């Protein structure tokens, strides 16, 4: 089993349930883990034999541009796109953190995690 991860990817986006959140925006941190089996000889040193984390970032960046009310919807859309582009992946885990969510007290972040198993 191979695990490829992208952790701490930072985005500014307009996700949020309240209209003010969709107007003002917020900072988000994204973590993605994908696990898969490969029959390839990884000593061959070919990027085609693995999941390119640059592609994971591009998928995430494209999906983060689509404003949604729920973080769950954003995380699911990222997982769904990864599944379409990499159908051989056994497990996809997407964690999306919203920094300083608009709550009455100090909260570092809120988060959702979507796990997609084959």
């Amino acid at each position: 089993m191979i695990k490829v991860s992208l952790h701490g990817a930072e985005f500014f986006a307009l996700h949020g349930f309240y209209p003010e959140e969709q107007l003002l925006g917020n900072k988000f941190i994204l973590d993605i883990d994908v696990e898969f089996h490969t029959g390839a000889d990884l000593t061959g040193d070919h990027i085609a034999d693995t999941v390119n984390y640059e592609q994971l970032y591009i998928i995430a960046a494209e999906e983060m541009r689509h404003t949604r009310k729920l973080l769950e919807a954003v995380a699911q859309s990222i997982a769904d796109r990864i599944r379409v582009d990499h159908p051989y992946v056994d497990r996809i885990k997407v964690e999306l953190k919203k920094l300083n969510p608009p709550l009455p007290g100090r909260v570092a972040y809120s988060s959702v995690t979507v796990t997609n198993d084959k």
Side-chain angles (χ1 to χ4, degrees):
M1 180 79 74
I2 305 292
K3 180 177 178 181
V4 174
S5 300
L6 183 67
H7 287 187
E10 297 183 23
F11 297 94
F12 182 85
L14 302 175
H15 307 304
F17 182 77
Y18 299 104
E20 300 82 26
E21 294 178 283
Q22 292 187 9
L23 180 64
L24 299 173
N26 205 341
K27 291 183 182 179
F28 297 85
I29 303 292
L30 181 68
D31 298 331
I32 300 172
D33 297 305
V34 297
E35 297 179 31
F36 59 98
H37 290 89
T38 181
D41 176 9
L42 294 177
T43 61
D45 208 21
H46 301 289
I47 200 161
D49 295 334
T50 188
V51 174
N52 180 345
Y53 55 80
E54 181 181 16
Q55 292 174 335
L56 296 178
Y57 182 88
I58 290 167
I59 289 169
E62 289 172 358
E63 291 302 318
M64 289 296 289
R65 283 194 282 273
H66 299 289
T67 300
R68 294 184 175 90
K69 290 182 181 179
L70 299 179
L71 297 183
E72 294 86 343
V74 180
Q76 185 66 58
S77 69
I78 293 168
D80 290 346
R81 280 278 309 279
I82 294 169
R83 174 70 62 210
V84 167
D85 289 1
H86 304 284
Y88 54 88
V89 169
D90 296 308
R91 173 175 257 219
I92 302 165
K93 180 180 170 188
V94 177
E95 182 178 13
L96 183 59
K97 300 172 186 165
K98 179 184 235 176
L99 302 183
N100 302 307
L103 298 170
R106 171 108 171 95
V107 175
Y109 63 86
S110 60
S111 71
V112 300
T113 301
V114 169
T115 302
N116 181 318
D117 291 322
K118 206 176 210 186

